[in-house]
């Protein structure tokens, strides 16, 4: 069992062999606790967080561009943009006499993004803004771990613990991309909400969106990673922290989306 192997591996770093990045990738799926424990015994490697970061966000950008080649998906995405503009007019954030010109801009921009230059822009911007968001989220994890759990580690430790589980997210992104292209319907994730069609802007939609096997798997591994990278034997506390922040963060974006409709793109509403 993995637990027995972990106990046996609790030995000084000079008596163990450092894992390669490919070994860590495999370990994230097969033996995350042991993998992160061994990783924590050696100096933090920049490659352990920058490689998954670039790969996953590049995949996300590519999948998004490919999905737009499906006419049904393109139409749905365009309708969401149109609805967002109409909601802005209703809320007074966009003058009504500017609606037609705004819709024309949306149409021309979406057509442009289907071309080769649009693909490059989409992939590059996804990597850049996705990375910025990632660094902010990792900063929140780091501060919470240091303040509430008194973990023994630095920001780079949090980067590695947060980035390696992204390989699980990569599988989710590929699956949702395949479903989106084949079914002609935008799948934001693999949650119950995605398959039932419940509006994410409702409380029920928010709750069902959290019932997602890949997200639960990924966040569980993240909790394990943080616990091991910050030299803690109490993994449960770290998992609870991660899921608490996930729910709180989701609620913040949910209520912001209610107040400001143009922010609903963050929640897929």
């Amino acid at each position: 069992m993995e637990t027995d192997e972990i106990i046996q591996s609790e030995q000084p770093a000079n008596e163990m062999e450092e894992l390669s990045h490919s070994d860590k990738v495999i370990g994230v799926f097969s033996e995350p606790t042991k993998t992160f424990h061994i990783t924590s015994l050696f100096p933090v490697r920049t490659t352990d967080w920058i490689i998954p970061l670039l790969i996953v966000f590049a995949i996300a950008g590519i999948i998004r561009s490919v999905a737009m080649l499906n006419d049904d998906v393109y139409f749905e995405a365009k309708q969401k943009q149109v609805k967002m503009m109409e909601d802005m007019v209703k809320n007074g954030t966009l003058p009504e006499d500017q609606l037609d010109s705004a819709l024309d801009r949306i149409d021309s921009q979406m057509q442009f993004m289907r071309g080769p230059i649009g693909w490059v822009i989409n992939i590059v911007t996804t990597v850049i803004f996705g990375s910025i968001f990632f660094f902010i989220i990792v900063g929140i994890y780091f501060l919470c771990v240091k303040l509430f759990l008194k973990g023994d580690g630095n920001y780079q430790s949090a980067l590695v613990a947060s980035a390696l589980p992204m390989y699980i997210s990569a599988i989710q992104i590929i699956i949702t991309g395949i479903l989106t292209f084949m079914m002609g319907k935008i799948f934001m994730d693999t949650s119950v909400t995605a398959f039932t069609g419940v509006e994410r802007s409702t409380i029920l939609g928010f709750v069902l969106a959290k019932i997602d096997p890949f997200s639960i798997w990924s966040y569980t591994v993240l909790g394990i990673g943080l616990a091991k990278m910050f030299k803690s034997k109490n993994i449960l506390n770290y998992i609870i922290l991660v899921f608490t922040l996930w729910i709180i963060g989701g609620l913040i974006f949910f209520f912001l989306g209610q107040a400001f409709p143009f922010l609903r793109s963050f929640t897929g509403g």
Side-chain angles (χ1 to χ4, degrees):
M1 294 176 63
E2 183 181 352
T3 304
D4 297 329
E5 294 172 345
I6 296 165
I7 294 174
Q8 294 172 9
S9 67
E10 298 275 347
Q11 50 184 301
N14 57 10
E15 297 180 15
M16 301 186 65
E17 183 178 349
E18 185 174 7
L19 298 174
S20 65
H21 186 75
S22 58
D23 289 333
K24 293 170 186 176
V25 174
I26 295 171
V28 163
F29 292 94
S30 60
E31 298 176 306
T33 308
K34 179 181 178 181
T35 298
F36 279 111
H37 168 68
I38 297 175
T39 301
S40 70
L41 299 177
F42 297 89
V44 175
R45 304 294 181 188
T46 301
T47 52
D48 286 341
W49 63 262
I50 198 169
I51 292 176
L53 188 70
L54 294 177
I55 288 177
V56 172
F57 285 126
I59 289 175
I62 292 170
I63 291 293
R64 183 179 177 184
S65 295
V66 171
M68 286 298 107
L69 296 178
N70 183 300
D71 290 335
D72 292 331
V73 174
Y74 176 82
F75 179 76
E76 181 182 347
K78 183 176 178 180
Q79 288 302 108
K80 285 190 175 184
Q81 293 290 318
V82 171
K83 186 177 185 303
M84 184 179 69
M85 291 295 105
E86 292 174 343
D87 288 340
M88 290 177 66
V89 171
K90 292 178 182 178
N91 293 335
T93 54
L94 177 70
E96 188 173 359
D97 58 357
Q98 296 182 17
L99 178 60
D100 289 339
S101 60
L103 295 179
D104 288 338
R105 285 196 301 272
I106 289 175
D107 186 60
S108 60
Q109 288 171 1
M110 290 189 67
Q111 286 288 351
F112 174 77
M113 294 304 289
R114 296 181 90 180
I117 298 178
W119 275 50
V120 174
I121 293 174
N122 183 35
I123 294 169
V124 171
T125 54
T126 300
V127 171
I128 292 174
F129 289 104
S131 298
I132 292 172
F133 186 72
F134 171 79
F135 291 134
I136 294 172
I137 295 299
V138 173
I140 294 173
Y141 287 140
F142 174 68
L143 290 175
C144 289
V145 166
K146 300 296 283 188
L147 289 174
F148 302 120
L149 300 179
K150 309 301 180 184
D152 179 17
N154 54 34
Y155 182 69
Q156 278 200 313
S157 301
L159 283 173
V160 172
S162 302
L164 286 175
M166 291 178 70
Y167 284 114
I168 298 173
S169 301
I171 296 178
Q172 181 186 39
I173 292 170
I174 293 172
I175 291 175
T176 56
I178 293 172
L179 289 172
T180 295
F181 194 83
M182 291 182 63
M183 301 182 67
K185 174 183 177 296
I186 297 176
F187 280 81
M188 302 295 296
D189 49 38
T190 50
S191 68
V192 174
T193 296
F195 289 97
T196 59
V198 177
E199 286 291 333
R200 293 173 185 266
S201 56
T202 65
I203 289 293
L204 178 60
F206 171 81
V207 173
L208 294 180
K210 298 304 177 185
I211 306 176
D212 184 333
F214 278 97
S215 295
I216 294 171
W217 180 13
S218 177
Y219 282 114
T220 299
V221 174
L222 169 57
I224 293 172
L226 287 172
K228 287 303 172 182
M229 294 302 295
F230 282 83
K231 312 298 190 298
S232 175
K233 293 183 179 180
N234 194 334
I235 296 176
L236 181 60
N237 284 348
Y238 282 78
I239 293 177
I240 291 174
L241 174 66
V242 167
F243 276 89
T244 299
L245 292 175
W246 180 37
I247 298 299
I248 292 175
L251 285 171
I252 290 173
F253 279 115
F254 175 79
F255 287 114
L256 283 175
Q258 300 299 307
F260 307 100
F262 65 90
L263 292 177
R264 288 181 183 173
S265 57
F266 287 100
T267 60

